[in-house]
Structures are given as structure tokens and as C-alpha cells.
Amino acid sequence: MAQVRQDNPRQPEFHQAVFEVCKPIFAFIKDKPRYHEYQILRRITEPDRIIAFRVCWENDEGGIEVNRGWRIQNNNAIGPYKGGLRFHPSVNESILKFLAFEQTFKNSLTGLPMGGGKGGANFDPKGRSDHEVMRFCQSFMSELYRHIGDDIDVPAGDIGVGAREIGYLYGQWKRLTSLHTGVLTGKGQSYGGSLIRQEATGYGCTYFMQEMLASRGDSIDGKTCLVSGSGNVAQFAVEKITELGGKVLTMSDSDGFIHDPDGIDAEKLAFIMELKNVQRGRLSAYPAVFRKARHHAGKRPWGVPAQLAFPCATQNEMSHEDACTLLTNGCIGVSEGANMPSELAAIDAFLAAKILFGPSKAANAGGVAVSGLEMSQNSARMRWKEQTPQELLQQIMRDIHERCLGHGGTRDRKFTNYVTGANIAGFVTVADAMLAYGIV
Ligand code: NDP
Ligand code: 2IT
């Protein structure tokens, strides 16, 4: 860790992600000399390469705007680099390195042949016209295209990159290369996208909670739930939780959260989807339509008493204090839809209380898993009906849960440390492939 801090100064998010992964791995590799001999941990914490570039574009007023774009190609030991693109003003190298590092273990956990990567830009799509977003995406891809390919590196969406942005990015890739291949995932249904990809992260995160609860003979049915975020992951988590009989009390965006004591049912969710995806509006508009609800400006939802929590917005949105509040209020399960939403001290609090805690690299792996299925369909030049990716997603989430039990369960099956389980299970496959390649 000292070396990681020294080699990566001022990158706290990256340090945090490395610490979370390496803590359980130190114990696991203690009596496995080959991992030491070949310096696997040191090598796995150094990205294969970091690509940084200028993104220059023209706004609607004719002014010139300059942003910075990146692609972190972290590790391709078990497959082509794979991972999303994030467009958000907070994006920097530390955040993308943590995401690419996490992605490497997450992708391995899915059991599909995908390496780890992540990219994005410090561009803020909020308040920009469609054509500004299009020009930004075209300029971004004009550089990125030389570094990606369907067997090299396959980007997808993340915060600020949804169906619209993927369309513009893919359109520019196709224009530049004359190719029509599976170089991006999350594509539209009319040009190579997979059914269920849009829903996959939120659904998968809910299935993971369902698996954790089932291991204790329990279910989501009848439980009160807190969800944060109101983007792609949050929306489909709410949809699936509600379908499974849970009652979702909250959602949030960067301005605050809404609390609806009657629950956010399918009709209210449809309103939120229209508000966020089409009008690109703010959640603060919700209580004017659904009168019993309240908007809490500048606050996070973790103070509302509930049994289950699904953080689906962004990193470090769950502090130690938030975790303690959830526990005091009787929370029995947390499934992380976002990447690294809980601070290290919050994770420690959940583990100490022995509640069901599904860490992001296991709980939100459904999204990239269905991206992997999209790649398969594109390579085979075919398109599956909805049932196939839907069933495969459920099976993959069950398999991930089993892999976590394999490395994080106790013999009496009374408590599973899913953090230990996910990290070790994700690590072993990548590390063994690296051993096979020798010193490269
Ligand atoms: P979206 O852009 O669709 O939604 C992001 C949501 O989080 C919005 O409600 C946004 O609010 C809120 N948010 C973003 N940044 C902040 C912040 N700094 N503080 C408070 N709220 C914030 O992104 P996704 O739903 O795709 O991604 C959400 C999380 O899930 C991220 O951590 C992402 O890495 C992770 N993830 C996504 C996957 C995917 O398939 N899309 C797969 C696996 C993980 P506002 O509208 O105000 O910006
Ligand atoms: O964090 C993630 O797993 C994603 N943003 C999805 C990545 C992908 O390639 O589908």
C-alpha cells in the first residue's frame, strides 16, 4: 500500500479501491509463494496503459470548448479490456483508475472472458443541447477510436453516458472506420444492442440482494427499501424491487432525495423515467405531482428507516455515519448498484454488524455481464430473444453469489463476508492467467 500511495500521489479513490481489494488478498496469498515470486499484486495495481487526450468541440454559440478525455486499459489477462465511459465534471485520473481496477475483478467474477478498463471525460452533459452532446461525442471518439476494437477494448456507458451518447459515439466510430462491429455495448436495439442490457445493472443488483436474502431463508417481498440515484441503475433497481414485492421509499439525484412514504410504484417510476430520461429534469419536481412525498434538498436518503438499502448513485455516497444510522434503524441488507458507494469505514460497520452486504463488484456486475452477452451476439451476428439474456443474467448473478460463498463463507454458513469472497474469487482467475503468461 505504501508503494501504491507513493506511485500514485493525490489519487485517494484509487488508493481506496486498491486497499479494499488487497486487504483480503494479503491473507489469501500468504501461503501461495508463486503469487509473491511473480509480484502479482504489484503488477495488478499498475494499469497496462493510460491514454489521455484533448477533446475540442464547438458549443451552440460558436465558442470553443476544451475537455480532457481518458481511457484506462487496466488489465487484459482474461479478455479484451471492457468497461464503461463516464462523462461528469468530477472525472479525473484517480476516479477512472479506481473504476478500471474494480472492473478487472468484477469482470472476472462474471465468469465471462473480459478484461478491465474504464474511460470518460470531465465533460458535463447537464444543460447541454443534443447537438452539443453529439459534437462532444464525435470529437471524443475521433481520438478514442484508434485505441479500441471489438477484440481490443470495448467501452460502454456509465454516469452521464446512456443510450443517446452511445448512439453518437458509435455513429462516429462507424464513420471513421467503415466497420459495423461490437466495439461498444449498450447499443440501441436497431443497431446491435442486446435486450436486457439497459435493465441489467439495476435488475442484477436486485437479484443479488434476493440471493443474499434467500441464503437466510428470506426475500425482498414486503420489505421497505431505500434507493439512491435516479439514473439507469437506480431506475431498473426500483422496477425490479417493486416487481418482487419490495416498497421503495426513496430515490435521489445530486440536488437531494425524495421520500415517498406510500412507495414509488410502477406508475410513479414511469413519471421519474420520463422526467430524468426525456425532460432531463430534477427530482425536486416529484412532490408537486405526488403530494405525500417530500423533497429533502442537499441530503442523502440513508436517514429514512428501512430494511434494505441500494446505493445506486456514485462513489462514497455512504459514509460511516450513514452506515451507522442505517444499522440503528434496523437495516438488514445492502446491495451496491453504484461503484464503491460505501466508504471503507462504512463497509467495516456493515461487516461488524454481520448484515448482508453485497459489494459493488459482485452486486452490480449484471450490467457488464449483459454487455458480455451483447459482445457474443455481435460476434455471432445474431440477436437473442429477451428470454435468453434475461435467464443468463439471473444465472450469472446466482453464480457470482456462489463464487462469493466459496471464498467468503464460513463452514457453518452462518455469515458470508461477500467482500472477501468477491475480491478473492475475482482475483484468482486474473492472477492465474498472469502467472501463465510469465513476466509481461
Ligand atoms: P446515470 O448517469 O444514469 O445516473 C447517475 C445518478 O447518480 C443520477 O441520479 C445522478 O444525479 C446521481 N449522481 C451522479 N453523481 C452524483 C454525485 N456526485 N452526487 C450525487 N448524486 C450523483 O448513471 P448510472 O445509473 O449508469 O450509474 C450510477 C452508478 O452505477 C455509478 O456508480 C456507475 O459507475 C455504476 N454502474 C453503472 C452501470 C451501468 O450499466 N450503467 C454498471 C455498473 C455500475 P444527477 O441526475 O443530478 O446527475
Ligand atoms: O461499472 C460498470 O460495470 C459499467 N459501467 C458497465 C460496463 C460495461 O462494459 O457494460
Side-chain angles (χ1 to χ4, degrees):
M1 278 312 298
Q3 176 110 33
V4 166
R5 283 198 198 95
Q6 188 184 316
D7 293 349
N8 304 276
R10 294 179 303 282
Q11 300 196 340
E13 293 86 359
F14 181 60
H15 303 166
Q16 183 181 340
V18 172
F19 187 77
E20 193 229 90
V21 169
C22 290
K23 203 171 145 198
I25 287 173
F26 286 137
F28 174 73
I29 65 173
K30 219 163 148 195
D31 57 350
K32 299 177 181 66
R34 267 170 73 77
Y35 294 131
H36 296 283
E37 214 176 300
Y38 282 85
Q39 294 281 309
I40 294 295
L41 273 186
R42 267 186 75 186
R43 288 162 59 200
I44 220 166
T45 52
E46 191 67 35
D48 288 357
R49 66 190 65 75
I50 296 173
I51 300 150
F53 49 94
R54 181 183 66 237
V55 186
C56 202
W57 56 284
E58 218 176 320
N59 64 28
D60 285 346
E61 287 73 46
I64 294 168
E65 306 254 357
V66 182
N67 288 99
R68 188 170 298 170
W70 288 269
R71 186 72 182 165
I72 315 284
Q73 296 181 332
N74 196 62
N75 187 299
N76 67 352
I78 63 166
Y81 304 106
K82 178 84 196 86
L85 296 171
R86 178 177 291 191
F87 292 168
H88 194 271
S90 64
V91 163
N92 58 36
E93 219 172 280
S94 172
I95 289 180
L96 294 180
K97 274 170 68 180
F98 113 64
L99 288 163
F101 184 74
E102 283 281 298
Q103 197 81 44
T104 303
F105 302 96
K106 182 197 306 192
N107 292 2
S108 160
L109 261 182
T110 65
L112 299 173
M114 300 181 290
K118 201 85 188 190
N122 59 0
F123 168 70
D124 188 358
K126 272 200 200 94
R128 294 296 185 179
S129 71
D130 262 9
H131 278 199
E132 287 181 316
V133 171
M134 179 182 74
R135 284 195 293 276
F136 177 82
C137 289
Q138 290 174 341
S139 181
F140 183 86
M141 185 53 90
S142 298
E143 174 59 35
L144 185 70
Y145 89 99
R146 39 183 130 249
H147 308 289
I148 61 175
D150 49 354
D151 287 320
I152 301 172
D153 183 354
V154 183
D158 194 81
I159 291 177
V161 178
R164 172 182 64 170
E165 290 73 19
I166 293 290
Y168 293 146
L169 289 164
Y170 191 70
Q172 182 71 353
W173 151 268
K174 198 168 65 58
R175 171 156 77 172
L176 291 169
T177 63
S178 302
L179 297 171
H180 205 310
T181 66
V183 72
L184 295 177
T185 60
K187 298 186 292 299
Q189 297 303 313
S190 58
Y191 62 95
S194 173
L195 287 162
I196 296 295
R197 174 60 190 92
Q198 203 193 183
E199 294 86 348
T201 313
Y203 279 15
C205 165
T206 311
Y207 293 145
F208 197 79
M209 176 68 92
Q210 199 183 21
E211 287 299 317
M212 293 197 295
L213 286 164
S215 73
R216 288 191 179 177
D218 205 347
S219 75
I220 290 179
D221 192 24
K223 300 257 180 336
T224 47
C225 303
L226 307 179
V227 174
S228 66
S230 49
N232 171 266
V233 180
Q235 291 172 14
F236 289 102
V238 171
E239 184 168 287
K240 189 50 79 180
I241 293 166
T242 310
E243 252 179 64
L244 294 175
K247 183 172 172 184
V248 179
L249 301 176
T250 64
M251 289 180 82
S252 70
D253 61 21
S254 48
D255 294 341
F257 79 94
I258 48 157
H259 177 198
D260 187 335
D262 289 343
I264 301 169
D265 60 15
E267 184 204 333
K268 294 170 182 174
L269 178 63
F271 168 84
I272 288 175
M273 285 181 169
E274 163 76 20
L275 177 72
K276 297 304 282 189
N277 308 345
V278 182
Q279 296 170 26
R280 299 191 184 270
R282 312 304 300 158
L283 270 189
S284 49
Y286 183 95
V289 183
F290 303 104
R291 299 273 177 177
K292 275 205 198 155
R294 289 281 167 274
H295 181 256
H296 300 268
K299 296 233 156 59
R300 303 193 283 219
W302 314 125
V304 176
Q307 293 155 295
L308 303 175
F310 298 79
C312 295
T314 193
Q315 66 275 355
N316 292 326
E317 54 165 319
M318 174 85 70
S319 67
H320 179 249
E321 202 185 329
D322 293 327
C324 294
T325 307
L326 279 178
L327 291 168
T328 307
N329 287 337
C331 176
I332 59 162
V334 177
S335 185
E336 295 188 325
N339 282 307
M340 206 170 74
S342 306
E343 290 178 352
L344 289 170
I347 297 178
D348 287 343
F350 293 138
L351 295 179
K354 291 195 164 27
I355 65 160
L356 298 167
F357 175 71
S360 50
K361 64 173 70 63
N364 74 29
V368 74
V370 177
S371 277
L373 303 180
E374 183 171 329
M375 289 165 72
S376 305
Q377 292 168 78
N378 293 160
S379 299
R381 305 241 182 276
M382 65 184 298
R383 188 176 149 75
W384 296 332
K385 293 205 168 67
E386 183 177 323
Q387 198 186 351
T388 306
Q390 174 72 270
E391 283 174 6
L392 285 170
L393 170 63
Q394 280 178 271
Q395 187 56 51
I396 289 168
M397 296 315 293
R398 276 197 291 271
D399 291 347
I400 293 174
H401 185 261
E402 276 302 309
R403 285 185 194 111
C404 291
L405 291 187
H407 287 283
T410 48
R411 222 169 260 140
D412 61 8
R413 292 206 131 196
K414 280 216 170 108
F415 173 66
T416 301
N417 184 329
Y418 291 93
V419 178
T420 301
N423 283 323
I424 296 177
F427 169 80
V428 170
T429 319
V430 178
D432 288 351
M434 288 172 73
L435 283 180
Y437 301 141
I439 303 162
V440 289

